[in-house]
Structures are given as C-alpha cells and as structure tokens.
C-alpha cells in the first residue's frame, strides 16, 4: 500500500475538493497489520456491539469495517474474539470511533485495527444500530463504499480508489 503521506502529496486537489479526507489524529493501533486499505462497510452503534459481530461473521471481501461508536469511552466494541473473526473472514481492518479490549489478543490478529483507546468492559448486546449508512469519525464523514487507507501516519477516507 502506498503510504498515506504520499497519497496526500499526490492528491492535494482531492483534499481541497473534499473527496479525500484526512481523519484527525486520534487513533491507537492494534493488530498485526500496521497498514491496511479497503472499501468501507459502515456501522453506527452506541455501546452495543451486536452489529459488529454480525458484520464480522460475514466474508469481509478485503473491506474495512468502520464503526461509529459515538466516541464512547465507557465500554469496548471490539475484543479478541471479534479480531479473530475479522482475520478468519477476510476483513482488511477495523476502524472504531470508540474502544477495544483484549489488546494482547488483538495484536495477534492478522488485521489492522484502529480505535480511540482500550477499555476492559464489554458492551451491551441489544441488537441496536444501523448498517451501511453515512457515519462519522469525529468530524470526518465516511459513506459505505468509500476507500479507507490507514498506516502509521494516519487514516484517509476517499470517495474513489487512490493509486
């Protein structure tokens, strides 16, 4: 994957037009992949990871699961079992606007994971949330099918595939 710094340098006109967006630097990194890319599959949930599990149980086809957890710091939306599901089911990565747990287990998974922080408490399981809708990572909008590029320098969201 081309580094995000090079993608920004080569696509300044897309940044100016708003079709390439740089997510504000707020994420920590877990998983074995320090860089990953793929089309976004979006979820909007709040302190309930039922839809996260159901999405990761399906073939990810190299996509990135983008979870708008409302930035909640009160529980984790992804843990070791879900990290293993993501690896098993061909997800390129997971970006969580919220927390994760079981971080040592997540670091053993062959996926890239970004989240705000680690939190030891699990989420609730009420089956509440929305799938494949426009979501937000703080001030950055992500639509289903957008392209997500993540590496050590940051996370980019693009309307189209970048080269």
């Amino acid at each position: 994957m081309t580094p995000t710094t090079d993608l920004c340098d080569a696509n300044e006109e897309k940044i100016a037009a708003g079709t390439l967006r740089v997510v504000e630097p707020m994420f920590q990194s877990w998983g074995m992949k320090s860089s990953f890319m793929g089309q976004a599959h979006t979820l909007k949930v709040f302190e309930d990871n039922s839809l996260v599990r159901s999405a990761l149980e399906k073939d990810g086809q190299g996509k990135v699961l983008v979870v708008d957890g409302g930035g909640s710091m009160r529980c984790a939306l992804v843990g070791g079992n879900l990290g293993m599901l993501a690896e098993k089911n061909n997800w390129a990565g997971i970006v969580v606007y919220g927390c994760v747990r079981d971080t040592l287990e997540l670091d053993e998974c062959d996926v890239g994971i970004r989240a705000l922080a680690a939190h030891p408490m699990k989420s609730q399981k009420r089956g509440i949330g929305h799938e494949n809708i426009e979501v937000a990572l703080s001030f950055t909008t992500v639509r289903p099918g957008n392209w997500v590029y993540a590496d050590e320098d940051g996370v980019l969201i693009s309307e189209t595939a970048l080269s």
Side-chain angles (χ1 to χ4, degrees), residues 38-163:
Q39 285 189 282
H41 180 91
T42 62
L43 297 176
K44 183 168 182 63
V45 301
F46 189 73
E47 298 178 1
D48 179 344
N49 76 345
S50 304
L51 292 182
V52 178
R53 174 174 286 283
S54 66
L56 293 173
E57 287 174 341
K58 299 174 185 142
D59 182 358
Q61 301 172 328
K63 293 183 180 180
V64 175
L65 184 64
V66 178
V67 182
D68 176 356
S72 173
M73 302 294 269
R74 300 190 308 193
C75 66
L77 295 172
V78 173
N81 291 335
L82 295 185
M84 287 186 282
L85 262 181
E87 176 183 347
K88 175 185 165 209
N89 291 326
N90 195 33
W91 289 87
I94 305 170
V95 177
V96 183
Y97 186 48
C99 296
V100 297
R101 68 186 211 155
D102 303 321
T103 58
L104 294 177
E105 292 176 30
L106 291 177
D107 282 340
E108 297 296 317
C109 297
D110 192 20
V111 294
I113 301 166
R114 299 292 186 278
L116 298 177
H119 195 294
M121 195 164 79
K122 67 180 178 179
S123 76
Q124 297 185 24
K125 314 274 189 277
R126 299 181 311 256
I128 298 172
H130 302 282
E131 188 168 16
N132 280 323
I133 64 166
E134 183 176 294
V135 299
L137 301 175
S138 186
F139 298 109
T140 305
T141 301
V142 184
R143 294 173 191 88
N146 281 173
W147 287 84
V148 179
Y149 298 86
D151 67 12
E152 300 83 356
D153 290 315
V155 178
L156 306 177
I157 307 298
S158 178
E159 299 290 321
T160 58
L162 302 174
S163 55

Side-chain angles (χ1 to χ4, degrees), residues 1-8 151 153 156:
M1 183 184 105
T2 303
T4 57
T5 53
D6 293 345
L7 291 172
C8 286
D151 67 12
D153 290 315
L156 306 177

